């Protein structure tokens, strides 16, 4: 890797730019969402959500922590948890993508102000963390297990990468480079043999290496990945797996422990493997992630089933009613899936991203963009009410959407993902364009041979299954438009002019000498369908779910004639029926006799029964109509 | 309540002596276990377990904390968590019951030494807690939510009650009374309006009132019960329900929040209700507890399904693989059930005690009495190994039996329950004796009219279902022997001489003019049987369990031809077959095809199948034969 001076990304900015791989990502300037639900969500995010984040971070004193450091004020003034700095950085990252997306001048100025604050707070040697190292605080790097210092630095670096790629180098890149240099000096081959309890510095340093061409950042990330798994962090009550420090990365068989930590580490390991050409490491990580998909992932794409330690459970431990499925774990899973999609071109990673977008990210945020689910239950048994707009939720975890959390990591993660969402729509390779996600969008790039190609996607997907792709630029000669056919979409059809051909799940391609105005249409069979779980998932044995396209549906009590969803039963012999963007299914409510002890020698008899057409709505729409109960998995009668 | 001087209990000592109620408890001198498994467990407990507890408490510095206070040594020397004092008290309580049971002279001297240590450590005004109030420590009662000061005092009081009732008043009673007086002065009607985050002082103060006749202790307990539920403790991240401070005791509908806290409070509320004749409070608590039994209790009798907050889940949230079911919650549930049995005479409370004894307490402790399950999973998916004998387990919660825990509450709770176990076997009323639990035992008392009556129970229960009850003392005139017929024991028969009559679940009685040597026999149909769950328990839908008498059975991997218990399937159309104290059932192992994503449009097809006769063993015997996986609930094929 040769040292080059960092510059704005000519594509408009991309979160991940591998130097090799199967697919090449497109930037904000090459892929733009022009309409539909995601466009609306991007606008809400760019306005209300980022404003909300900024005002709460000011109110909670998290931005003020930097000012206090600059002014040398007492460490006793520091506010928030040890990772509060990272929330400010993630907000800056989200703002940076937003400026790249919408050229928002006010937001641009805001980044400048926040950057000036960081510049002023940074120590002369590059160290920047408001929780450690000042008089009255613990010494720098004295608590690698829980201190989150390198984690915070990682988010600082990611913010600077986003800023530089979208707007060109400025002081923020300087701050990040000095901080990264300080990390490399402290933890390099000759330095302290340490890793951070919470991975994040690993993908950040690789991306900084990609941005700047500095080999030392890649080397340092590689060292951090190599060092993990040898139980060098102090034993945590939740075990070394909590830090993914139980097994070396290339020896593990599946993701485990704290889901966000594990997934951030995995993202970094993919980056290191790709940049160093380490096929063994890449294969190890692919195998772990694929096993995680097959055994430790919710129908929604959510990961991490345990509240206590925010961890993956054992294989097939996927309880609906105590699902944790943290928002941030889904953001992290998108990070991993995107990197693996770029590295391998395998459409299953696009499937996962789609599933997460429609069923976790779309669920996580309120319509007005100012309250958030931290965790995503698939079965709400007692009605919850949203917290009032001025109320912080203590700790983390379950409960309703809240305007703020003591551990408020979801806002920044949602914000940066939504602002950069269009970059996940499509990729290019030497043959043409690959469309991975479907939305009203403009996608275009210059192919390796210099030809400009572009298409306009038009669709009401996922409400409707037809995706129109019209060629808007082409430069002569054949090229390829490839479209992802989701795993669920058996019976899909590709229409190219007069031609109709089946499009099996995976990838369907059209290669020809396109003319501007040419249209191809992918017809995906979006209709409600039953979904059955693997029989090893004990928590949903004897249940079915209903999905419609990529959207998981649910029953919510506010739509049902009997409010107690414990009593719902369905018979999957009849197909679910279309009902707007949801469905209806024939079902009933079965009220068992009460006997005082819930275990009996005879199989339970049907009790008092109320037949009903059960209305299902998209899971992402639940908890938007007042207090309710909800369930995704419906017991068979 | 009139003030009397406390004296040894002439019955030999009982944990709970209500001044009114349906049934009168018997003391250690009136009910003695003479043989069988529980007798063996009592001996192991009285020897190895109590020695183990003492040596670890010395090693961890928890006894030393008191010496440090006495010697005025620096508070920085204090060791252990804020509730460490309580563990020493529970150990003294267990030792006291053990001295009552076995007249162990060495243990008696040990109690004397520990008492002298407490006497020396107590402040002149009666306050006694090693974690608060000294220079360098937080002020007394400055952290009622988490400080556990009143909780510790409660255990001190219970230790003194046990000591006094079994051996007569000594210095320990003086320490406890002074501490209780200090509590009454501080928190009385004119004092601080506070409650402890962890209930325990409530039942303790009632019992001290019963022991001493001091009304003020009862009044104070009553005040503490009344004060709870008004959200006066600071909001905990787990909610006010964590402390049962969310809803006033007499308004709640079900037990909720931290299970041990909730159950200790419930025990205290029953005590207050009984002593003050508050029928409304008693009915409220009965209703809450009965609903908890019907909706929030595991097949084993275990309570509390959530690891994170050690809490009851919502109704019917009873996951097997993430069962928490803390040992101490089961001890606390026995406390409640026993109090309700005495108050109401309802046999369902005897059923629960039996279920807990055979399936939680018998499971909790290793054969040698020196390692313990903190939590009781009903489905172990990955093999665990016991910790080495010198290794403490950090925190609390899951994992294998461990010799010690950072939060080591189970040893003392098991110890005090086992040492006093014979007092839970039988009760008396004006008509005669009631036998609630079956074991080789001698049971006798003097009836209200002065007649001596006694019986000898002989049984191999629960290995065998026949319980022989032979009259060993009688004084002329008719009296009644009542026997509990467990809920599961449909088809039980009572044999009285030549007479055989059906004994329906509930209570069966024989009333006549007994002669010494008369024998009645209860024949309980102990054989393996299928048990089906309430259809609202999502976690075990489509599963059956096998029980044998009061004993829950399980499959353990070490007995099976295929080690992966995720693949087990059974067909309950054939009855389980006897196999020693376990069973065999016809089943198979079904290996599904792997597809990379565990949700599919079609119902799962049977994969590669291996038929097998599945061996089941008593759940309490699991994890005693090396690393293994285990499950109680077996999926239907």
């Amino acid at each position: 890797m040769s040292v080059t001076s960092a510059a704005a990304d000519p594509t408009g900015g991309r979160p991940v730019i591998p130097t090799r791989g199967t697919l090449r990502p497109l930037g904000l300037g090459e892929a733009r969402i022009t309409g539909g639900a995601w466009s609306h969500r991007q606008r809400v995010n760019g306005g209300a959500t980022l404003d909300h984040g900024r005002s709460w971070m000011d109110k909670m004193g998290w931005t003020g922590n930097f000012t206090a450091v600059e002014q040398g004020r007492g460490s006793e003034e520091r506010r928030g948890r040890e990772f509060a700095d990272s929330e400010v950085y993630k907000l800056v990252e989200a703002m940076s993508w937003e400026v790249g997306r919408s050229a928002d001048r006010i937001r641009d100025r805001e980044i400048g102000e926040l950057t000036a604050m960081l510049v002023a707070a940074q120590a002369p040697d590059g160290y920047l963390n408001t929780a450690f190292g000042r008089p009255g605080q613990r010494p720098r790097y004295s608590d690698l297990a829980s201190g989150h210092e390198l984690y915070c630095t990682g988010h600082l670096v990611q913010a600077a990468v986003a800023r530089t790629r979208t707007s060109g180098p400025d002081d923020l890149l300087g701050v990040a480079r000095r901080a990264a240099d300080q990390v490399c000096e402290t933890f390099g081959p000759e330095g302290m043999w340490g890793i951070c309890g919470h991975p994040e510095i690993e993908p950040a340093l690789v991306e900084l290496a990609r941005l700047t061409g500095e080999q030392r950042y890649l080397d340092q990330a590689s060292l951090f990945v190599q060092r993990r798994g040898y139980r060098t962090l102090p034993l945590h009550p939740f075990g070394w797996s909590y830090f993914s420090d139980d097994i070396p990365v290339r020896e593990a068989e599946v993701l485990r422990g704290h889901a966000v930590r594990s997934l951030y580490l995995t993202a970094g390991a993919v980056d290191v493997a790709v940049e160093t050409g380490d096929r063994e490491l890449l294969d190890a990580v692919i195998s772990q992630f694929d096993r995680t998909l097959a055994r430790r992932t919710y129908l929604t794409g959510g990961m991490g089933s345990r509240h206590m330690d925010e961890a993956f459970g054992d294989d097939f431990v996927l309880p609906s009613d105590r699902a944790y499925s943290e928002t941030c774990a889904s953001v992290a899973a998108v990070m991993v899936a995107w990197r693996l999609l770029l590295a391998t071109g395998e459409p299953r990673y696009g499937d996962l991203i789609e599933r997460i977008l429609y069923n976790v990210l779309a669920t996580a945020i309120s319509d007005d963009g100012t309250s958030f689910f931290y965790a995503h239950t698939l079965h709400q048994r007692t009605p919850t009410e949203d917290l009032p707009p001025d109320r912080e939720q203590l700790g983390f975890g379950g409960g309703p959407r809240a305007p703020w959390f003591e551990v408020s990591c979801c806002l920044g993660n949602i914000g940066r993902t939504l602002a950069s969402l269009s970059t996940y729509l499509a990729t290019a390779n030497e043959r043409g364009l690959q469309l991975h996600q479907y939305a009203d969008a403009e996608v275009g790039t210059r192919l390796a041979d210099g030809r400009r190609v572009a298409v306009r996607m038009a669709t009401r997907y996922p409400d409707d299954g037809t995706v129109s792709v019209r060629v808007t630029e082409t430069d002569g000669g054949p090229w390829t438009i490839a479209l992802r056919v989701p795993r669920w979409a058996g019976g899909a059809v590709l229409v190219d002019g007069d031609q109709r051909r089946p499009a099996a799940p995976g990838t369907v391609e059209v290669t020809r000498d396109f003319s501007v105005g040419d249209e191809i249409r992918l017809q995906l069979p979006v209709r409600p369908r039953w979904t059955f779980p693997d029989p090893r998932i004990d928590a949903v044995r004897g249940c079915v779910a209903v999905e419609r396209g990529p959207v998981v549906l649910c029953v919510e009590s506010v739509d049902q004639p009997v409010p107690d969803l414990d009593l719902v039963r369905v018979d999957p012999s009849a197909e679910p029926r279309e009902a707007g963007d949801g469905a209806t299914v024939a079902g009933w409510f079965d009220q068992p006799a009460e006997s005082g002890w819930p275990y009996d020698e005879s199989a339970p008899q049907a009790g008092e029964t109320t037949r009903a057409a059960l209305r299902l709505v998209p899971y992402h729409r639940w908890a938007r109509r007042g207090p309710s109960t909800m369930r995704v998995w419906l017991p068979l009668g």
Side-chain angles (χ1 to χ4, degrees), chain A:
Chain A
M1 190 170 276
S2 64
V3 177
T4 59
S5 70
D9 180 0
T11 74
R14 294 164 287 182
V16 186
I17 312 183
T19 55
R20 74 193 83 182
T22 304
L23 305 178
R24 173 169 62 81
L26 303 184
L28 290 173
E30 297 182 315
R32 210 160 48 82
I33 299 173
T34 53
W38 289 115
S39 171
H40 173 72
R41 285 178 185 276
Q42 286 195 307
R43 284 196 303 276
V44 171
N45 179 64
T49 303
L50 297 184
D51 283 345
H52 180 80
R54 176 65 198 275
S55 74
W56 271 88
M57 287 187 209
D58 289 350
K59 170 174 149 182
M60 304 306 288
W62 299 354
T63 46
N65 288 335
F66 292 98
T67 319
V69 168
E70 175 205 345
Q71 298 173 351
R73 275 186 274 131
S75 62
E76 65 279 4
E77 281 189 33
R78 183 174 187 284
R79 305 271 300 281
R81 297 282 295 268
E82 61 276 29
F83 36 74
D85 292 3
S86 74
E87 307 307 344
V88 178
Y89 301 145
K90 275 194 290 189
L91 187 70
V92 172
E93 184 190 341
M95 288 174 171
S96 299
W97 296 120
E98 179 59 20
V99 168
R101 185 188 79 82
S102 67
D104 183 328
R105 306 294 286 241
I106 295 169
R107 207 61 85 191
D108 187 65
R109 199 174 323 129
E110 201 174 357
I111 296 171
E113 290 160 10
L114 290 166
T115 298
M117 178 186 81
L118 301 180
V119 168
Q122 189 167 37
D125 68 350
Y127 181 84
L128 177 54
N129 189 294
T130 68
F132 286 84
R134 288 190 295 152
Q137 295 180 325
R138 289 178 291 171
R140 291 177 183 183
Y141 306 123
S142 58
D143 181 12
L144 288 175
S146 307
H148 287 74
E149 286 164 280
L150 293 169
Y151 167 85
C152 288
T153 305
H155 279 300
L156 168 63
V157 167
Q158 287 189 331
V161 168
R163 177 63 173 167
T164 307
R165 287 192 176 146
T166 51
S167 303
D170 67 5
D171 287 350
L172 187 58
L173 180 60
V175 172
R177 289 192 68 148
R178 286 192 296 278
D181 290 341
Q182 200 275 337
V183 168
C184 293
E185 277 143 34
T186 308
F187 293 94
E190 314 293 308
M192 190 173 165
W193 205 91
I195 53 174
C196 185
H198 200 315
E200 157 63 21
I201 189 78
E202 295 83 356
L205 284 176
V206 176
E207 215 56 46
L208 187 62
R210 289 166 171 164
L211 178 72
T212 61
E214 281 271 17
Q215 180 73 29
R216 70 186 307 199
Y217 301 140
L218 175 59
D219 292 345
Q220 186 63 48
S222 191
L223 259 185
F224 281 140
V225 170
Q226 284 168 37
R227 284 177 185 166
R228 195 169 296 262
Y230 296 95
R231 306 186 179 207
T232 59
L233 288 169
L235 175 59
H236 193 279
F238 300 148
W240 277 290
S241 64
Y242 183 68
F243 311 118
S244 297
D245 194 29
D246 53 335
I247 304 172
V249 175
R250 68 180 74 226
E251 293 173 23
E253 293 184 350
V254 68
L255 303 191
R256 68 231 168 269
H258 188 286
V260 178
R261 295 172 196 236
S262 175
L263 287 158
Y264 280 180
L265 176 66
T266 301
V270 175
D271 289 335
V272 166
V274 166
E275 291 307 314
T276 61
D278 186 340
R279 186 72 221 184
E280 182 193 271
L281 178 60
L282 184 63
D283 285 345
V285 172
I286 288 172
S287 161
Q288 293 160 31
F289 193 68
D290 286 352
R291 183 174 168 131
T292 303
L293 281 184
R295 294 172 177 236
R296 299 186 173 194
T297 303
Y298 282 103
L299 182 62
T300 53
M303 294 184 184
S305 65
R306 288 158 61 143
H307 278 249
M308 187 168 76
D309 45 1
E310 309 186 275
F312 287 103
D314 288 336
D315 284 353
F316 305 116
V317 179
L318 294 163
S320 283
D321 47 22
R322 289 290 285 166
Y324 192 61
S325 179
E326 183 183 345
T327 301
C328 292
S330 282
V331 168
V334 168
M335 287 167 58
V336 174
W338 181 243
R339 283 158 172 78
L340 291 179
L341 180 60
L342 296 179
T344 68
E346 292 287 343
R348 64 177 178 276
Y349 301 118
D351 281 2
L352 178 66
I353 291 171
E354 173 174 76
R355 192 168 281 280
I356 290 172
L357 291 179
Y358 284 108
N359 300 300
V360 184
L361 291 194
T363 311
I365 195 161
S366 64
D367 290 334
D368 69 359
T370 65
S371 65
F372 311 90
F373 275 128
Y374 197 109
H376 293 264
T377 188
L378 274 72
H379 184 176
Q380 181 69 38
R381 289 175 181 268
T382 54
T384 55
E385 285 190 76
D386 290 355
L387 289 181
D390 60 344
R391 173 94 67 80
E392 178 193 30
Q393 179 157 314
L394 293 178
F396 57 89
R401 291 188 187 89
W404 201 249
F405 298 88
E406 187 184 359
V407 179
S408 218
C409 41
C410 39
L411 183 144
N413 259 336
I414 294 169
R416 64 186 184 142
T417 306
L418 282 178
S420 61
L421 189 65
S422 67
T423 70
Y424 298 98
L425 295 185
T427 55
N429 63 7
E430 66 287 349
R431 300 175 52 226
L433 291 175
Q434 301 80 42
L435 304 179
H436 304 289
Q437 306 300 335
Y438 302 121
D440 286 345
E442 306 274 1
V443 175
T445 192
R446 194 173 293 281
L447 299 183
D449 59 15
R451 287 182 293 163
R452 281 283 313 169
V453 297
V455 299
R456 176 180 303 136
M457 276 197 277
T459 183
R460 294 195 304 113
Y461 185 83
D463 289 353
D464 179 84
T466 300
V467 181
S468 156
V469 180
R470 191 176 290 273
V471 175
T472 53
E473 287 187 70
T474 182
D475 224 359
W479 55 283
T480 299
I481 299 174
L483 299 104
R484 180 178 61 87
V485 181
R487 183 187 168 103
W488 55 263
V493 171
L494 187 86
V495 182
D496 181 10
D498 297 341
Q499 287 198 317
R500 290 173 60 86
R501 56 179 165 107
T507 303
V508 62
E509 295 188 349
V510 179
T511 303
R512 60 180 170 83
D513 201 342
F514 290 105
S515 304
V516 168
D518 281 2
E519 184 194 24
I520 56 178
R521 286 203 311 281
L522 180 63
Q523 293 178 337
L524 298 170
V526 170
R527 58 173 172 267
R529 66 186 187 277
W530 297 113
T531 298
F532 296 82
D534 188 294
R536 292 168 291 185
I537 305 175
D538 291 83
V540 293
R541 174 174 293 107
C543 290
V544 286
V546 184
E547 295 182 277
R548 184 175 179 280
V551 177
V552 174
L553 305 185
C554 67
V555 293
E556 192 173 5
S557 56
V558 292
D559 295 314
Q560 311 310 329
V562 174
D564 185 353
L565 299 185
D566 281 350
L567 311 181
V568 163
R569 299 292 177 270
V570 297
D571 171 2
S573 63
E575 286 300 306
R577 287 166 48 188
E578 289 269 7
D581 60 357
T584 57
V585 301
W588 64 97
F589 293 82
D590 187 352
Q591 175 72 56
E594 301 284 346
S595 78
W597 180 245
Y599 309 101
D600 201 79
E601 278 190 62
S602 47
Q605 303 302 303
E608 192 184 318
T609 291
T610 310
R611 297 226 147 244
L614 301 174
R615 169 110 174 91
L616 291 100
V617 297
Y619 173 69
H620 64 73
R621 292 220 268 121
W622 94 273
R624 299 186 195 272
R625 294 175 291 166
S628 66
T629 60
M630 175 278 299
R631 65 187 303 162
V632 166
W633 290 100
L634 309 176
L636 302 176

